[in-house]
Amino acid sequence: MFDTTFRGDAATIQVRDTFSTALAKNIITVFVWLCLSYINGALVLTFFKNKIFYEDPRYILFIHMVINDAVQLTVTMTLFVVSYVFFRISVFVCFSLIFVAYFATMNIPLSLAAMAIERYIAICNPLRHSQICTVRRTHILIAVIWVAGAVPAITDLFITLATEPVDFFHSSIFCIHSNMFRAPAVYYKGQAFDILYFSFVSLTIIYTYLRIMFVARAATTDRSSAAKARNTILLHGVQLLMCMLTYVRLVLEVALVGAFPKHVLEIRYAHYLVIYILPRFLSPVVYGVRDDKLRKYLKGYFVCKLQRVRPITLLER
């Protein structure tokens, strides 16, 4: 059975899953991971096999987000399964997994903002798009995203090194963020970074997509094209909302557990599915399957081709 602890202000609550519940959760998690890994793998292979994609800034940013999603999903799935199988792992291994997961999670909204800016330039300033959005500048932008995504995790490490005793780093813990980074300063620092990143990403995406929507309405006369543009904007809005949950995940979890202390495990599992799993389905849909150019090359990975065999008659033998 799975046993975990939630530390609140008043008391310490211990809860556990039954074996059947734990098994069902892990089967669902691994199955979803396998499905998404196949989809992401097909997208990555399609990108690197065709020159028209890796010379286009739009698809470079897209595949960067796909790879980041794959890394984040794999690490979080590993953390989820490890928490049931081993319960406690060494602090060093726990930190390594949490650092990569946290880093990749923070990259997702930043990548979404970068893609929004690229689309804004392409639609609202098409004559200068090729000059502004070059392959070299796209690679620089990706490096900036990596640095910005790593800063919160690196500061967590420095605060922990400064506040925790040496024995802590040689111990074993149940691997969740609150157990790894126990200093109150980590929580308040995280809140500051979340507010800063939330404000920047949300304002960037709202502004760019409002401008894109207005330009699309003014330039489009065909009803089907207008409907497709509106649906794309709607999917972007859903993805934005889900990604923004990344910045309020800790506050939301503490509030829900405080309101429903008897459902800690259910809240954490729903939190994991909504924030870490469901948004990973939207990226292939919004930027992959609905893209005519990508869909043309992706069909081979998802459509089974049946070859018709003509029977041989006795006269042909």
Side-chain angles (χ1 to χ4, degrees):
M1 285 185 283
F2 173 66
D3 190 358
T4 188
T5 301
F6 177 81
R7 291 178 176 82
D9 296 333
T12 299
I13 305 167
Q14 291 186 339
V15 288
R16 61 176 57 189
D17 267 334
T18 63
F19 176 79
S20 59
T21 301
L23 182 63
K25 287 181 178 179
N26 278 272
I27 290 174
I28 293 171
T29 302
V30 173
F31 176 75
V32 172
W33 173 76
L34 288 173
C35 293
L36 283 172
S37 295
Y38 182 82
I39 296 171
N40 290 333
L43 289 168
V44 172
L45 286 175
T46 300
F47 175 83
F48 286 106
K49 281 185 175 182
N50 299 277
K51 190 177 180 180
I52 59 173
F53 294 127
Y54 56 78
E55 291 184 349
D56 189 327
R58 178 189 180 187
Y59 294 105
I60 293 173
L61 290 172
F62 165 66
I63 209 63
H64 165 257
M65 189 165 71
V66 169
I67 294 173
N68 187 85
D69 281 358
V71 171
Q72 188 256 11
L73 185 66
T74 300
V75 176
T76 55
M77 187 276 299
T78 302
L79 277 169
F80 187 87
V81 174
V82 163
S83 68
Y84 281 89
V85 176
F86 298 106
F87 186 66
R88 290 178 178 271
I89 60 176
S90 70
V91 168
F92 176 77
V93 175
C94 178
F95 168 76
S96 301
L97 292 172
I98 286 181
F99 180 88
V100 176
Y102 189 23
F103 165 64
T105 301
M106 297 301 289
N107 277 355
I108 294 169
L110 296 174
S111 299
L112 196 61
M115 297 180 74
I117 294 172
E118 189 277 332
R119 285 293 84 198
Y120 165 75
I121 297 172
I123 295 175
C124 300
N125 198 359
L127 298 179
R128 298 191 58 194
H129 178 261
S130 60
Q131 299 174 357
I132 298 173
C133 299
T134 62
V135 173
R136 181 175 178 273
R137 288 180 177 177
T138 304
H139 291 158
I140 293 173
L141 179 59
I142 291 173
V144 171
I145 291 172
W146 288 355
V147 172
V151 167
I154 292 174
T155 53
D156 283 352
L157 173 62
F158 287 155
I159 294 173
T160 303
L161 289 173
T163 56
E164 294 291 350
V166 177
D167 293 342
F168 171 74
F169 299 98
H170 299 284
S171 62
S172 298
I173 60 172
F174 176 70
C175 191
I176 57 175
H177 189 275
S178 58
N179 287 348
M180 179 69 225
F181 303 103
R182 302 182 296 183
V186 172
Y187 174 78
Y188 295 113
K189 182 276 309 175
Q191 293 288 80
F193 272 110
D194 288 349
I195 292 172
L196 177 64
Y197 285 17
F198 175 85
S199 301
F200 169 74
V201 173
S202 59
L203 289 175
T204 299
I205 293 179
I206 291 171
Y207 172 77
T208 54
Y209 280 109
L210 282 177
R211 290 295 304 272
I212 289 172
M213 184 173 64
F214 293 148
V215 171
R217 284 182 175 179
T220 302
T221 56
D222 183 63
R223 290 186 177 182
S224 62
S225 299
K228 185 176 181 179
R230 287 195 299 268
N231 291 337
T232 301
I233 300 291
L234 179 62
L235 287 172
H236 282 313
V238 174
Q239 189 176 28
L240 168 63
L241 180 62
M242 288 184 148
C243 287
M244 289 303 102
L245 291 176
T246 301
Y247 295 125
V248 295
R249 64 194 183 283
L250 293 178
V251 176
L252 184 62
E253 182 176 329
V254 170
L256 289 174
V257 171
F260 306 99
K262 295 182 180 180
H263 301 281
V264 176
L265 292 177
E266 290 80 3
I267 290 171
R268 284 184 173 166
Y269 187 63
H271 166 273
Y272 172 72
L273 290 178
V274 172
I275 293 181
Y276 294 103
I277 300 295
L278 291 182
R280 306 292 80 77
F281 278 104
L282 284 179
S283 296
V285 171
V286 176
Y287 300 101
V289 178
R290 298 182 76 248
D291 185 276
D292 294 334
K293 193 184 296 184
L294 263 176
R295 188 171 63 248
K296 174 184 174 182
Y297 291 93
L298 279 173
K299 287 181 179 179
Y301 294 99
F302 299 98
V303 179
C304 296
K305 295 181 179 180
L306 299 178
Q307 185 175 2
R308 189 174 180 180
V309 179
R310 185 175 63 89
I312 300 175
T313 64
L314 293 174
L315 295 176
E316 292 176 325
R317 291 184 178 180

